[in-house]
Amino acid sequence: MDCKDRYIELYTVQPEKIADFIRKGHCHYAKMKYIEDKYGDVKDVFLNAYHWYVRQASSIVERPEQAESGIWTFVNKQYTEQHPGYQVMKLRVPVEEAVFFRMSDWNKVLNLRYVGKTKEEEDAYSEKLEKYGITYEGEVCETPFYPQLKRELTASWNNLFRFDQKVKNGGPVEFEDMQAGLWCIKTEWVAN
C-alpha cells in the first residue's frame, strides 16, 4: 500500500455505464437500491449491515447527503473481480476521503460474526458461544434469546475500523485484503 502526498491508489469495479458517467465529469454516489438488487431475497440481512456501516463510517468521514452507502475500493488490485460489462478503475484518492478496513472483517460483519482485535479475542467469544450451545454466531442476532451476546457481537463490529487511522497516518499495514469505503467517486480521482 502506498500513500504519497496524502493520496492513495485504490481500485474499484464499476458497471461500464457508471465508469463512463464518472469519466464524463460526474460524481458517482452509491444507492441502497444497488445492494437490494444485488442480494435479492436475502437483502434484509445485508441491508442491516450496510446501514450499520453507513452510520459508523459517517463518524469517520462525513457522508454527503447523496451517498446512501459506501463504494468499495481495494488497495490491492488482485481483489477486484472482473465481470462482463464492468470496468476496473484505478483511483488516486485523498486518504482523508476514505474509510479503511479489512475485507475479511467486513465479511464477518455481513455474516453476523464477531470481529475481534485479535484471534485470541475471537476465540474467547467462540468459546463463550459453545458454553451456550450455539454453533452458528448469527443465531445471537437472529433470535431474541441472547441479548447480551448480541450486544457483544454487534459492539465488536466497531473493530472493523481499527486500521483506519493507522493507514491515514502512513503506518505500515500488514494485510493484503485492505479495503476502503468511499462516499463517492470523483472524476478527478480517476487515474486511468
Side-chain angles (χ1 to χ4, degrees):
M1 179 166 44
D2 196 13
C3 289
K4 293 180 184 171
D5 303 321
R6 304 297 302 154
Y7 282 81
I8 189 165
E9 286 184 359
L10 298 169
Y11 299 88
T12 186
V13 178
Q14 297 297 321
E16 288 175 356
K17 181 177 170 183
I18 290 175
D20 292 341
F21 177 79
I22 296 165
R23 286 190 174 100
K24 288 178 181 170
H26 303 282
C27 191
H28 168 63
Y29 299 92
K31 303 291 181 197
M32 283 294 176
K33 174 127 179 62
Y34 303 150
I35 297 158
E36 291 172 11
D37 292 346
K38 179 178 180 178
Y39 293 110
D41 293 341
V42 294
K43 68 183 176 195
D44 290 338
V45 171
F46 292 102
L47 285 172
N48 286 336
Y50 278 86
H51 285 299
W52 173 86
Y53 173 87
V54 168
R55 284 190 308 275
Q56 302 306 317
S58 293
S59 67
I60 298 170
V61 173
E62 186 175 349
R63 179 178 63 88
E65 197 174 305
Q66 309 92 308
E68 294 178 15
S69 184
I71 298 169
W72 296 158
T73 65
F74 302 89
V75 172
N76 191 326
K77 187 178 180 180
Q78 80 179 26
Y79 289 96
T80 60
E81 295 181 7
Q82 296 190 10
H83 303 285
Y86 285 75
Q87 291 182 15
V88 174
M89 300 179 75
K90 181 178 177 182
L91 308 173
R92 187 171 182 269
V93 178
V95 292
E96 294 81 20
E97 296 280 344
V99 177
F100 294 94
F101 54 94
R102 288 186 68 192
M103 182 174 68
S104 55
D105 287 340
W106 173 243
N107 286 333
K108 289 175 187 173
V109 173
L110 286 177
N111 288 294
L112 308 176
R113 295 185 54 219
Y114 190 90
V115 180
K117 291 179 185 170
T118 64
K119 181 167 178 1
E120 293 77 24
E121 190 178 305
E122 290 178 354
D123 291 345
Y125 186 77
S126 292
E127 288 173 17
K128 188 183 290 191
L129 295 182
E130 284 178 25
K131 289 178 184 175
Y132 283 90
I134 300 169
T135 56
Y136 165 58
E137 282 182 71
E139 186 178 341
V140 301
C141 289
E142 294 174 346
T143 67
F145 305 122
Y146 310 103
Q148 179 58 36
L149 292 173
K150 180 178 180 178
R151 278 192 292 278
E152 286 179 51
L153 181 120
T154 56
S156 81
W157 293 348
N158 287 314
N159 290 327
L160 177 73
F161 306 110
R162 68 190 181 277
F163 302 110
D164 181 72
Q165 207 53 52
K166 186 175 182 179
V167 172
K168 288 176 179 169
N169 291 336
V173 178
E174 61 273 15
F175 304 104
E176 284 190 8
D177 70 338
M178 193 62 63
Q179 271 186 259
L182 305 176
W183 294 124
C184 66
I185 299 176
K186 298 178 181 179
T187 302
E188 60 266 26
W189 295 350
V190 178
N192 61 350

